[in-house]
Amino acid sequence: MSFEDDPADGWFPESVAMDYDGPGGANAPEVVTSAVDVLEDLADGPVLEFAVGTGRIAAPLAARGVAVSGIELSRAMAARIADKPGGEAVEVTIGDMTSTRVAGEFSLVFLVFNTIGNVTTQDGQVDVFRNAAAHLRPGGLFVVEVGVPDLRRMPPGQDVVPFAMDHDAGYAGFDQYDVVTQRFTSNHVTVAPDGTGRFRRIPFRYVWPAELDLMARIAGMRPKHRWADWARSEFTAESAGHVSVWEKAPHHPHEAPPLG
């Protein structure tokens, strides 16, 4: 199969999109169903997914009768949404989630699977929150799923934390942290049976739960829920990630008016 990656697709071009829906991990049916159950429960009207990707969450949510729109930077990723059950009902706008606007008001905006970290500056992450608030009706909810920075695993002088090692698949993954800038890179090494290899490096910015709460406050939202996972488990000091929910307060003076 031949293809050419489009630079406009950013870090998720065709060479990534073609394997993005592989089995297991975040694509496991039980993982997807757990997330969709919570989002369906929180929704009270149309919803909008930032970084909708290949429709892993948006399509099954739409298949349950929820009106779903999405914003996605990568055309290669978005092109796969319509092929999923429910995906044909998802209205996708190509653009950057920090600034792209979709007409209308929404009961829920959500951003899952660590994607807030793909925005690699604090100002940009604040813009994500402001854009979410601009799309929400008063009382609407913004949901973010993201990991807790894994810095406790690093002894003094170390900046690398491995997160995967699969000898059978010829795959190793590790994160490299810069604790000064809160930036890190996710590094993926894959070796084929014939010995040929591929190295992929993706930049992120890690963000603490309290920092996210402040971003929400700047955007005119207040904390409503924080769970350790989609099962709504208690968030503790040992939690590796969290699903956080903020509620838009009415009449925030700095938000842009809704479109349409």
Side-chain angles (χ1 to χ4, degrees):
M1 178 179 179
S2 62
F3 59 84
E4 183 174 347
D5 284 343
D6 185 345
D9 288 337
W11 294 103
F12 297 90
E14 179 62 29
S15 59
V16 176
M18 63 188 296
D19 297 321
Y20 197 81
D21 291 326
N27 295 323
E30 63 273 18
V31 175
V32 172
T33 298
S34 182
V36 172
D37 285 345
V38 173
L39 294 168
E40 182 185 24
D41 184 56
L42 294 175
D44 183 23
V47 306
L48 173 64
E49 181 175 7
F50 283 180
V52 66
T54 63
R56 177 178 68 94
I57 301 298
L61 187 58
R64 297 189 183 188
V66 178
V68 182
S69 298
I71 295 174
E72 173 56 48
L73 183 66
S74 169
R75 294 181 185 274
M77 296 282 278
R80 288 163 165 79
I81 297 175
D83 293 335
K84 294 180 169 65
E88 69 284 350
V90 179
E91 297 187 9
V92 181
T93 299
I94 301 299
D96 187 330
M97 64 181 171
T98 65
S99 57
T100 298
R101 296 289 304 278
V102 175
E105 283 189 321
F106 296 86
S107 71
L108 176 73
V109 176
F110 61 98
L111 176 61
V112 301
F113 197 44
N114 300 315
T115 313
I116 185 67
N118 287 124
V119 182
T120 57
T121 67
Q122 187 182 66
D123 284 347
Q125 290 174 339
V126 169
D127 287 341
V128 171
F129 274 76
R130 283 177 165 154
N131 199 27
H135 284 93
L136 288 171
R137 69 191 188 198
L141 304 176
F142 183 37
V143 179
V144 172
E145 176 198 17
V146 65
V148 175
D150 211 6
L151 305 188
R152 291 169 64 186
R153 294 179 57 195
M154 292 196 306
Q158 179 177 317
D159 66 354
V160 170
V161 175
F163 61 80
M165 179 65 72
D166 188 332
H167 294 283
D168 293 336
Y171 171 76
F174 61 93
D175 290 330
Q176 185 174 26
Y177 288 88
D178 182 339
V179 297
V180 174
T181 64
Q182 290 186 210
R183 294 186 180 183
F184 72 100
T185 57
S186 184
N187 302 273
H188 308 265
V189 181
T190 305
V191 180
D194 64 3
T196 58
R198 180 186 178 198
F199 175 67
R200 183 167 175 254
R201 184 179 177 93
I202 307 172
F204 291 88
R205 180 184 186 272
Y206 67 81
V207 60
W208 300 100
E211 189 180 4
L212 291 169
D213 286 342
L214 183 56
M215 293 179 184
R217 182 177 179 181
I218 290 170
M221 295 184 283
R222 54 199 175 200
K224 187 174 180 67
H225 302 291
R226 175 159 291 136
W227 303 302
D229 49 40
W230 291 109
R232 309 192 206 205
S233 304
E234 180 185 3
F235 179 76
T236 72
E238 302 304 316
S239 298
H242 58 101
V243 176
S244 292
V245 184
W246 299 272
E247 182 180 37
K248 179 179 177 177
H251 310 306
H252 185 60
H254 301 301
E255 72 176 23
L259 294 177

